[in-house]
Structure formats: C-alpha cells, structure tokens
Amino acid sequence: MWSHTRSLELLVLASTVAPAELIRVATAFGPAAGAAAGADRGRAARWGTLGAPAAYLAVTALAVAVAADGGFTPAALTGWRAGAPWLVPAVLVGVVLVGAEFAVGAVPGLLDGTGLPRLAVHLGGPVGGGYAASILSTAVAEELLYRGLWIGVLHERLRLPVGAAVAVAAVAYAAGHLFFGGLAVVQKTLSGTVFGLLLVGSGSLAVPLVAHLAQNATVLALAVRQERGERATGGREAVG
C-alpha cells in the first residue's frame, strides 16, 4: 500500500534523474568493460545505441506505472491535444534549438581564442536504423518523463510555481547528459527549459514532443552528412 505522503512522488522523481547512467554502470563490469576500454568498440557502440533508449523507456514506463498505481498521474502527462498553430512552430523551434546548442558550445572556444568550432555530432557508432531509432525513441521517453511526469508532479502535486517546476525538470533532464561533459549539461538545460515552456504554454505534451523529435531528426540528418564526409575523407572530419 502506497504512502499518502509526498515521499513516493519525490522517490519516483529522484530515481529517474539519469536513466542512461544505468548503461555506464552495466558496461563497467564484464565483457562490456573491455569493449569500453577498446577491446571491442563495436560492442560498446551497440551498448550505447541500444542500451540508452532501452534504459530510458524502461525507467519511464516504470515511473509512469508507479505514478498511476500511487494515484498521482499528473494532468501534464495525459494532455495531448494540440493544433497546427502550436505543432508547426514546434518543429521550427526544434530545428533552431540545434543551432542554439551549438552556439552555447562555441562560447568556450570564443572566450579562450581558439575560434568557432565546426558543427559536429557525437557518433557512438554507425549511423543507421538503430541510431535513428535510438535518438527518436529516447526523445519520446524524455518528454514523457521530464516534461509530463516531472513538471506535472512538481507543479500539480508538490505545488512548486510553474516556472520553478520547468527549471528543475530542465536540470534533471540535462543531468542525463553528463556523459558528454559539463558543457552538454548547459546545452541541454537550455533545450529542456524551452521544451518545458512549450508544454506550459500549449497545455499539450504533444508540442514539446514534436519539438524534441524535430531537434533529434535534425541531429540525425547532420550525423548522416557527417558520416558520409568522414567516409569520403577517410578520417573523422566534422560537419561544417
């Protein structure tokens, strides 16, 4: 029997901060540990491509199930109706966010005088159907989790002001990208905040989801272009 206090809500949120870190733990032992060290980079890439979305989907499904069973499924998680006046701009916002993240990533280079970096995508392995399914399914899980569940619970159940709920959820979302470094956390805090504002402004989880899918689809297109360029040059040249 679930407790009627807020402890369950807080426990669910705390346990879903960074689902992808489960893969880091899993690959720290056994055969995958050697892969991460260089013995079999192909196997390590597959762990990342398949394991990250699997971790996100599993953690999200479990968190949503616990929320439903505990009687605190937020309205933010169940509101999906949205019209073209929101969905079309959402696609544009998702594309623009790719450039915004790149701009944030360029700041350190501009400050230390090394200049503007070239636009590049983190590739954990070959860009194919698995890579596409990975980043798109992860986007779905992240929106259900960090926008629908997190913002909903923080605002509706824990009574945080909506702005604070958006900010806290954005930081939690960004923490899931620690693997890529501190700068990635800043970049994803920006994107997470924008996604949260789209949810609050539209009242529909479909709007930030469309924006997130558009962002990841743009990254996918860049990754395809980058991989083709690398094959043509025989190196690891970044996309310009």
Side-chain angles (χ1 to χ4, degrees):
M1 187 176 199
W2 297 118
S3 167
H4 292 291
T5 69
R6 292 176 176 177
S7 58
L8 180 59
E9 289 94 326
L10 292 173
L11 179 61
V12 168
L13 296 186
S15 64
T16 58
V17 172
E21 291 303 304
L22 295 173
I23 304 306
R24 190 199 295 265
V25 173
T27 55
F29 305 97
D40 184 353
R41 295 189 182 278
R43 183 182 299 172
R46 287 192 295 274
W47 267 96
T49 300
L50 301 176
Y56 267 102
L57 290 169
V59 169
T60 299
L62 182 59
V64 171
V66 171
D69 194 43
F72 60 93
T73 301
L77 192 60
T78 58
W80 287 90
R81 296 187 64 180
W86 275 106
L87 296 179
V88 173
V91 173
L92 298 178
V93 168
V95 175
V96 169
L97 276 175
V98 176
E101 287 191 8
F102 173 69
V104 171
V107 170
L110 294 175
L111 292 178
D112 63 20
T114 57
L116 189 67
R118 301 190 69 186
L119 181 59
V121 177
H122 294 286
L123 298 179
V127 180
Y131 181 85
S134 173
I135 65 173
L136 295 178
S137 61
T138 300
V140 174
E142 287 173 332
E143 290 312 305
L144 289 170
L145 186 58
Y146 296 113
R147 256 59 69 183
L149 187 64
W150 267 76
I151 292 178
V153 168
L154 289 172
H155 179 56
E156 298 172 30
R157 297 285 299 186
L158 303 184
R159 305 302 181 188
L160 256 65
V162 67
V166 168
V168 172
V171 172
Y173 163 66
H177 299 78
L178 276 169
F179 178 82
F180 298 107
L183 187 57
V185 173
V186 177
Q187 292 170 311
K188 293 304 178 181
T189 299
L190 169 64
S191 291
T193 300
V194 173
F195 294 145
L197 292 175
L198 287 175
L199 170 67
V200 172
S202 67
S204 171
L205 190 57
V207 175
L209 175 58
V210 167
H212 201 157
L213 288 172
Q215 183 190 44
N216 283 19
T218 303
V219 170
L220 175 61
L222 291 172
V224 170
R225 182 188 172 198
Q226 179 174 318
E227 185 178 65
R228 287 175 179 172
E230 290 169 355
R231 287 176 179 172
T233 60
R236 303 297 295 178
E237 184 179 356
V239 173

